[in-house]
Amino acid sequence: MTALLRTADALHARARAGRRAVVMTMGALHEGHATLIRAARDLAGADGEVVVTVFVNPLQFGAGEDLDRYPRTLDSDLEIAGRSGADVVLAPSADEVYPGGAPQVRISAGPMGDRLEGASRPGHFDGVLTVVGKLLHLTRPDAALFGQKDAQQVALVRRMVRDLDFGIDIVAVPTVREPDGLALSSRNRFLSTDERRTALALSRALFAGRDRHAAQEALRARARETHATHARAEALGALGEPRAAADAHAVATAAPGTASAVRTAARQVLDEAARLDPPLALDYVALVDPADFTEIGDGFTGEAVLAVAARVGATRLIDNLPLTFGAAS
């Protein structure tokens, strides 16, 4: 049976064998969290321990954001956590996490924390890293698992753990989506039927960028198989890819343009959604290097993240997809 604990001392008093894996949440658990917990169970193994934290962190909510609106559903959280393989749910009070009130000393997210989500929500990542750092100390795990949907958060936690020598493995678990493509989020419940229809533009934009990227990478691969420039252009034209055909020589030689094309494909979907009723209010769409979340250029090779954030009605949503750009010939 899953134990509900309120203090770190109660957690530390438990007999411990094997690895401890922690999943940090703000509650309102859904299938995305359940996937994280199941992954933690697999990682910890039968002899290990899975701890799920439930704490709505006031430090990561900015002025006018939905701290008071954020759902508190501890009874159902405990049920979902137990069903997914958690041994413990640690649901501390604010006084347990921040004795004496808001901490005067906090962890700074640095320059990466000022980009994308940080630019839209100043101070957000300082609050995230401060509570993650606190919960890592309070739970003392061997590994912590986070969802890829919060890609910038995962990158910053990894950087914090590395730079400050926490000695903990940080594991990213792929985003879980609903059948219509919308990334699972506790905030989805705030969307009306019409708002949800508009919100699907976020995942459609990412999929459009992904499809454009796949087409470009296929063209690059095909081009590398052909030696002569003229022959390359003919090969690209034969693929029937209209944009590549417009400048077959440039694409065939892996000239700059791939990253820009991915951004353009995603933005077109979002621009169309801005004209819907209700409209999508775009915050950002970006194609970034996950090492520092700076925008990548057209000659970039390696891992990248296509990220989007937008507001539909009163609800702000984020989503992203990882992409890999191959080496140019």
Side-chain angles (χ1 to χ4, degrees), residues 9 53 69 72 84 109 112 117 137 142-143 170 189 196 211 258 287 296 320 326:
D9 285 346
T53 66
R69 260 178 103 209
R72 275 82 166 172
S84 304
M112 197 195 317
E117 284 299 289
H137 288 312
D142 299 289
I170 303 301
R189 69 184 67 193
R196 184 186 177 91
D211 292 347
T258 302
L287 185 56
I296 66 170
N320 70 83

Side-chain angles (χ1 to χ4, degrees), residues 21 34-35 43 49 56 78 82 89-90 93 115 117 144 185 222 234 242 272 278 292 294 306 309 314:
T35 299
L43 188 152
E49 184 179 54
V56 181
L78 187 62
V89 169
L90 176 65
S93 66
R115 299 174 186 133
E117 284 299 289
S185 169
R222 181 66 177 269
E234 288 182 345
E272 292 171 3
D292 57 11
T294 56
L306 179 61

Side-chain angles (χ1 to χ4, degrees), residues 17-285:
R19 302 189 78 198
R20 174 179 288 167
V22 65
V23 174
M24 298 181 189
T25 82
M26 293 205 300
L29 301 191
H30 50 62
E31 181 57 28
H33 297 109
T35 299
L36 285 171
I37 297 166
R38 288 192 292 268
R41 180 78 271 160
D42 290 343
L43 188 152
D47 296 331
E49 184 179 54
V50 174
V51 177
V52 176
T53 66
V54 174
F55 179 66
V56 181
N57 178 36
L59 297 189
Q60 67 195 73
F61 288 82
E65 293 189 333
D66 53 2
L67 173 60
D68 292 336
R69 260 178 103 209
Y70 201 87
R72 275 82 166 172
T73 57
L74 185 57
D75 288 343
S76 65
D77 292 344
L78 187 62
E79 180 183 345
I80 291 171
R83 192 167 63 238
S84 304
D87 299 296
V88 175
V89 169
L90 176 65
S93 66
D95 287 339
E96 172 75 6
V97 179
Y98 301 122
Q104 296 185 37
V105 176
R106 307 187 186 194
I107 297 175
S108 170
M112 197 195 317
D114 294 332
R115 299 174 186 133
L116 298 190
E117 284 299 289
S120 299
R121 307 172 69 187
H124 169 71
F125 284 120
D126 291 355
V128 169
L129 293 186
T130 298
V131 76
V132 169
K134 291 274 290 184
L135 290 172
L136 288 175
H137 288 312
L138 291 173
T139 58
R140 302 175 186 172
D142 299 289
L145 293 85
F146 296 87
Q148 175 64 30
K149 185 176 80 72
D150 297 302
Q152 191 171 2
Q153 172 180 290
V154 174
L156 281 162
V157 170
R158 280 180 168 152
R159 187 80 192 202
M160 175 186 73
V161 165
R162 185 182 72 184
D163 287 357
L164 301 184
D165 300 314
F166 274 65
I168 296 167
D169 294 331
I170 303 301
V171 179
V173 177
T175 300
V176 178
R177 299 186 180 277
E178 300 195 43
D180 58 9
L182 190 67
L184 280 174
S185 169
S186 301
R187 291 187 170 95
N188 290 353
R189 69 184 67 193
F190 299 140
L191 297 169
S192 69
T193 301
D194 289 341
E195 287 171 344
R196 184 186 177 91
R197 190 176 302 114
T198 295
L200 292 175
L202 273 76
S203 55
R204 286 204 311 270
L206 295 177
F207 299 155
R210 177 196 61 192
D211 292 347
R212 182 61 187 160
H213 167 263
Q216 291 278 24
E217 291 295 315
L219 290 169
R220 284 171 177 256
R222 181 66 177 269
R224 287 196 293 270
E225 296 174 359
T226 315
H227 299 292
T229 299
H230 179 69
R232 287 183 174 188
E234 288 182 345
L236 291 167
L239 287 176
E241 219 292 338
R243 297 188 188 190
D247 190 0
H249 180 221
V251 177
T253 56
T258 302
S260 296
V262 171
R263 288 189 187 93
T264 298
R267 184 173 285 277
Q268 285 176 342
V269 175
L270 298 165
D271 288 345
E272 292 171 3
R275 296 188 288 272
L276 297 176
D277 183 19
L280 180 142
L282 181 64
D283 190 341
Y284 63 75
V285 57

